[in-house]
C-alpha cells in the first residue's frame, strides 16, 4: 500500500485549505482512513477519520464543525479521502499525515503518507 498526500500550504486565520490522500494498492476492506497531525515536541494526534463500510466520521474536538472528511472513492485498488479545512486557526499549524489502516489477515496494519505542512499565520 502506498499513501500519497497532496494539498496543504499556507493560509491566514479564518481561511481554508484542502488535503487529499490516495492509498493505492489498497482494498475496500480497510478498517479506517483519515488524517493525523503533529507539531514538534508533541505526539501525533487524530484529526479525523472515516470507518470503512460506514458513513461514520470521527473528529477531534478541536476541529469539529470546521473540518470535514469525505471519502472520494473506494473503487478498485485505490481509496481516497479529502479533508476540507475551514475557519483555520493558528493552532492548526502542523504536519498532517494521511493514515490508511487495514487488516492483513488478523493483524491491523497502519500505512502513512510522507506528511504535508499546513501553516496558518497572520
Amino acid at each position: 500500500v502506498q499513501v500519497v498526500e497532496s494539498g496543504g500550504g499556507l493560509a491566514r486565520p479564518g481561511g481554508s485549505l484542502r488535503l487529499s490522500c490516495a492509498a493505492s494498492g489498497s482494498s475496500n476492506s480497510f478498517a479506517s482512513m483519515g488524517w493525523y497531525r503533529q507539531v514538534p515536541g508533541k505526539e501525533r494526534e487524530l484529526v479525523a477519520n472515516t470507518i470503512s463500510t460506514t458513513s461514520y466520521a470521527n473528529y477531534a474536538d478541536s476541529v469539529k464543525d470546521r473540518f470535514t472528511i469525505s471519502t472520494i472513492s473506494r473503487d478498485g485498488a485505490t481509496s481516497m479521502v479529502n479533508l476540507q479545512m475551514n475557519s483555520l486557526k493558528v493552532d492548526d499549524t502542523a504536519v498532517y499525515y494521511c493514515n490508511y489502516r487495514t487488516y492483513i489477515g488478523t493483524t491491523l496494519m497502519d500505512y502513512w503518507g510522507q506528511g504535508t505542512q499546513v501553516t496558518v499565520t497572520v
Side-chain angles (χ1 to χ4, degrees), residues 33-68:
M33 193 169 179
W35 293 90
Y36 288 69
R37 66 187 181 187
Q38 189 171 24
V39 297
K42 292 189 177 181
E43 292 187 356
R44 193 171 294 187
E45 64 175 7
L46 175 69
V47 176
N49 65 358
T50 62
I51 307 302
S52 178
T53 72
T54 76
S55 59
Y56 179 76
N58 182 42
Y59 294 93
D61 288 343
S62 59
V63 305
K64 281 181 181 176
D65 301 323
R66 299 189 299 119
F67 291 11
T68 302

Side-chain angles (χ1 to χ4, degrees), residues 15 17 37 47-48 59 62-69 83-89 92 96 118:
L17 288 171
R37 66 187 181 187
V47 176
Y59 294 93
S62 59
V63 305
K64 281 181 181 176
D65 301 323
R66 299 189 299 119
F67 291 11
T68 302
I69 189 169
L83 183 69
Q84 179 65 41
M85 304 185 293
N86 298 328
S87 301
L88 283 164
K89 303 177 179 180
D92 294 320
Y96 284 69
V118 170

